[in-house]
């Protein structure tokens, strides 16, 4: 018996199949792109008030970076775009606002339109154990970072403020084993993020073991050694540690500084953690942010910062009390204009990340 085939019916099935196949391909492509392309970031704002000094035109702040403006103030908007391929990828990290401006103070982008490049680099996963990164990236030194999302305390430490913020160059990361890692880098001199008019370069080394990092930065006659790490002492209690020593170039008359900071943090519930930063920092022949006024440029500071961190979805509320006590009697002035050696302040910050 002869079978009669309805060609119109077959064509419809064929066309429908092509449409389903194409739709599946688009969905698969979209899913693949969603896995590779990422967009994240944060915004932050804060209120700051001195407790034992004026808050008007004569307002003062600790000699460390960020969260130093009186009253209700802005932090920054941070937008991070990334493309994560199996072998290659890039990160474009942009910051807008006072916190970003302070972080990139020596960059030519500082005086441009206000659009600031915090990080801009491409990377190549040469193998499972070797990654090359080329461009501008945040420093490998220190416990704290520019983004308020990754810091427990909202205000920053003296160790963070004196250390470099970012570097531009080429670095190689090596996964030596499950526990050991090694990073080698050649970079522009510190703070020269877009260009290098000196013809000289800085060199960096980082050795990591199970979350503990020993860092070395050599920069045109100066060097800085740094230890950054931390330990989970229990399921609810974490202790972070940071210590650093910097020695400047004697020919350029740059002095030295050293400091140590501890970061105990206790999670009291799923949505609230309380933490303390205790820091001692000293500078020698280094006229920096502490307010050294003697002929030798020597000064020291002991700072204690108590911070609460309450999480409400993607929003973090951070109330913070801070006391800075320096070796100099004239570092700060009280409400009557009289010199004093200590400053107590309060900050309430809101940080939203996405």
């Amino acid at each position: 018996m002869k079978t009669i085939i309805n060609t119109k019916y077959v064509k419809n099935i064929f066309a429908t199949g092509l449409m389903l196949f194409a739709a599946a391909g688009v969905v698969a492509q979209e899913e693949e792109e969603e896995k590779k392309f990422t967009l994240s970031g944060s915004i932050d704002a804060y209120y700051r008030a001195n407790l034992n000094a004026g808050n008007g035109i004569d307002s003062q702040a600790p000699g460390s970076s960020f969260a130093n403006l009186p009253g209700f103030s802005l932090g920054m908007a941070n937008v991070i775009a990334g493309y994560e391929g199996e072998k290659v990828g890039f990160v474009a990290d942009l910051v807008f606002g006072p916190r970003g401006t302070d972080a990139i103070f020596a960059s030519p982008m500082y005086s441009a339109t206000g659009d600031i490049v915090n990080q801009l680099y491409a990377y190549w996963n040469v193998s499972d154990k070797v990654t090359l990164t080329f461009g501008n990236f945040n420093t490998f030194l220190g416990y704290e970072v520019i983004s308020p999302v990754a810091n427990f305390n909202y205000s920053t430490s003296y160790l963070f403020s004196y250390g470099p913020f970012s570097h531009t160059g080429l670095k190689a990361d090596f996964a030596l084993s499950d526990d050991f890692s090694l990073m080698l880098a050649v970079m522009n001199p510190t703070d020269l993020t877009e260009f290098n008019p000196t013809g000289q370069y800085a060199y960096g080394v980082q050795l990591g073991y199970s979350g503990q990092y020993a860092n070395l930065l050599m920069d045109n006659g100066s060097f800085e050694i740094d230890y950054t790490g931390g330990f989970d002492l229990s399921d609810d209690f974490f202790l972070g540690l940071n210590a650093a020593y910097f020695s400047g170039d004697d020919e350029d008359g740059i002095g030295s500084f050293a400091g140590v900071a501890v970061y105990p943090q206790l999670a009291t519930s799923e949505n609230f953690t309380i933490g303390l930063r205790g820091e001692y920092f000293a500078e020698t022949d280094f006229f920096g942010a502490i307010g050294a006024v003697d002929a030798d440029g020597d000064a020291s500071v002991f700072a204690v910062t108590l911070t609460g961190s309450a999480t409400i979805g993607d929003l973090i509320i951070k109330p913070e009390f801070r006391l800075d006590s320096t070796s100099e009697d004239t570092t700060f002035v009280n409400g009557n204009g009289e010199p004093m050696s200590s400053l107590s302040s309060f900050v309430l910050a809101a940080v939203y990340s996405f």
Side-chain angles (χ1 to χ4, degrees), residues 2-34:
K2 185 178 179 180
T3 303
I4 299 176
I5 300 177
N6 189 330
T7 57
K8 183 177 180 181
Y9 178 71
V10 172
K11 289 179 180 179
N12 288 340
I13 293 178
F14 182 71
T16 304
L18 284 177
M19 292 176 62
L20 291 175
F21 180 78
V26 170
V27 172
Q29 184 179 9
E30 289 179 350
E31 290 178 352
E32 183 180 359
E33 289 176 353
E34 287 176 359

Side-chain angles (χ1 to χ4, degrees), residues 312-342:
I312 308 170
D314 293 324
L315 177 66
I316 306 174
I317 304 297
K318 290 181 178 288
E320 183 170 287
F321 291 93
R322 175 166 176 162
L323 174 64
D324 292 67
S325 180
T326 76
S327 60
E328 306 302 306
D329 294 333
T330 56
T331 303
F332 307 107
V333 294
N334 62 20
N336 297 321
E338 300 170 342
M340 59 183 184
S341 61
S342 63

Side-chain angles (χ1 to χ4, degrees), residues 284-287 292-299 328:
T284 303
D285 297 326
F286 197 105
F287 290 86
V293 294
D294 62 5
D296 295 328
D298 299 345
E328 306 302 306

